[in-house]
Amino acid sequence: MTKPPLALYLAAPRGFCAGVDRAIKIVEMALRKWGAPVYVRHEIVHNKFVVDRLREQGAVFVEELEDCPDDRPVIFSAHGVPKAVPAQAQARNMIYVDATCPLVSKVHIEAERHHEAGLQIIMIGHSGHPETVGTMGQLPPGEVLLVETVEDVAKVEVRDPSKLAFVTQTTLSIDDTAGIVAALRAQFPQIIGPHKEDICYATTNRQEAVKAMAPKIDAMLVVGAPNSSNSRRLVEVASRAGCSYAQLVQRATEIDWRAIDGISSIGITAGASAPEELVDEVIATLRTRYDVTVTEVETATENVEFKVPRALREPA
């Protein structure tokens, strides 16, 4: 039977960012240096496929430091941790490696600098997300206030409206954040913002590629995990940019075939913690049903690389 034609538009850039790549390398190098088991506090990145593969190599994923023995190395995830966590590890004389993305660390440093200048900080982020918890945990309670929406801005209670700064979670939607920033500036005209945008280059680039693809396609598949903030934002960005159907899939097995029945064009992208092999799997699965023609939509070139900590570059 003849397969129906399908024009497939592939976002570039997509998938792993430099911070995710570095975090995964840190776990792999720690396993080579110290042997298994190596403990990891929280998922190293938000992707089940990546986590399961590292687990097979000997990584043990735990929720809290209390779940780790004193005599084995522990790695802190790419999302960052509150200051109390490394302090606790030091008190227990543990070997620990911090895999926090350097762009998240930049936000931590920013928050501390504002605090030292006597400013209270408003963080734009998602409640309960590990990155938000980590950033807010850099400073004493009450020094960082969280807002998630424009509506939250009207309700936030600050100590002194003339002594405020704001920071943002790095994986948010650029458009959503712009609205919240505008509301903050309207309500608190003296508020100080970041010197450079907190939303990371990879989040921005992936969202821009989706916006460029959306008018060309009938449907969009975003390869990523449901607990991945940047992946979920890509689905939202696609919908807002005019794509009539957008779905988040962890693996090809999750594609909703009924929802894309009768389409002639589809876009594929991947969140910053989704490996390329999962994108390849989705494309291969589409080829079993369609006569696929692939066009890459490139909106930016990425050549960022972050070094792993010195402790892992030195011999055991």
Side-chain angles (χ1 to χ4, degrees):
M1 195 174 77
T2 308
K3 295 176 187 173
L6 181 69
L8 192 155
Y9 292 90
L10 194 55
R14 63 184 174 275
F16 278 3
C17 62
V20 164
D21 199 42
R22 173 181 179 267
I24 294 166
K25 273 185 195 161
I26 285 172
V27 179
E28 291 172 340
M29 290 173 77
L31 285 163
R32 285 199 294 273
K33 179 167 180 170
W34 291 299
V38 164
Y39 285 75
V40 184
R41 185 186 177 276
H42 289 167
E43 291 186 341
I44 189 68
V45 297
H46 283 157
N47 188 277
K48 185 179 184 299
F49 182 84
V50 171
V51 168
D52 286 348
R53 190 162 57 187
L54 292 171
R55 192 179 277 121
E56 286 166 13
Q57 294 173 40
V60 178
F61 292 88
V62 297
E63 282 306 302
E64 298 299 341
L65 209 58
E66 290 77 31
D67 304 321
C68 305
D70 292 347
D71 60 349
R72 293 306 302 164
V74 61
I75 295 163
F76 304 144
S77 82
H79 311 101
V81 294
K83 264 193 173 166
V85 176
Q88 190 185 346
Q90 282 177 328
R92 290 171 59 185
N93 292 315
M94 299 173 80
I95 295 172
Y96 68 89
V97 182
D98 189 354
T100 300
C101 172
L103 297 179
V104 174
S105 297
K106 178 182 85 72
V107 178
H108 291 182
I109 293 163
E110 222 173 277
E112 287 197 71
R113 186 168 48 78
H114 289 316
H115 177 63
E116 285 164 10
L119 304 180
Q120 191 177 26
I121 293 135
I122 294 177
M123 177 167 190
I124 304 169
H126 293 302
S127 177
H129 188 280
E131 185 185 330
T132 299
V133 172
T135 299
M136 294 182 74
Q138 298 306 301
L139 298 176
E143 292 304 308
V144 186
L145 308 172
L146 181 66
V147 296
E148 296 188 78
T149 63
V150 169
E151 291 72 32
D152 288 346
V153 174
K155 295 180 281 190
V156 71
E157 294 181 12
V158 302
R159 196 165 48 229
D160 181 345
S162 68
K163 292 185 177 178
L164 289 175
F166 73 87
V167 297
T168 74
Q169 188 179 320
T170 62
T171 54
L172 301 179
S173 154
I174 308 155
D175 300 329
D176 283 355
T177 308
I180 299 170
V181 169
L184 283 171
R185 292 196 188 282
Q187 183 147 333
F188 308 111
Q190 291 173 272
I191 198 165
I192 295 168
H195 290 306
K196 190 173 180 292
E197 183 64 68
D198 284 341
I199 295 174
C200 87
Y201 77 95
T203 300
T204 302
N205 289 348
R206 278 147 193 72
Q207 290 180 17
E208 291 302 325
V210 163
K211 286 178 187 176
M213 287 162 58
K216 306 180 193 326
I217 56 178
D218 300 324
M220 172 79 77
L221 296 179
V222 177
V223 181
N227 60 340
S228 163
S229 174
N230 77 86
S231 299
R232 287 168 60 192
R233 299 297 80 75
L234 289 173
V235 176
E236 294 169 3
V237 168
S239 298
R240 287 179 189 168
C243 186
S244 56
Y245 177 77
Q247 186 194 357
L248 181 67
V249 295
Q250 294 193 80
R251 303 291 297 265
T253 50
E254 293 184 1
I255 297 171
D256 184 347
W257 297 107
R258 285 177 300 178
I260 61 173
D261 185 45
I263 64 165
S264 60
S265 58
I266 195 165
I268 295 180
T269 188
S273 47
E276 185 65 9
E277 58 206 277
L278 299 186
V279 174
D280 293 341
E281 177 188 276
V282 167
I283 295 170
T285 304
L286 287 167
R287 287 189 191 280
T288 64
R289 293 172 177 246
Y290 297 94
D291 179 15
V292 175
T293 307
V294 178
T295 304
E296 193 163 69
V297 179
E298 185 172 3
T299 53
T301 305
E302 293 178 353
N303 50 17
V304 180
E305 191 175 340
F306 296 133
K307 286 184 178 176
V308 298
R310 186 180 289 122
L312 290 171
R313 289 181 266 141
E314 295 167 348

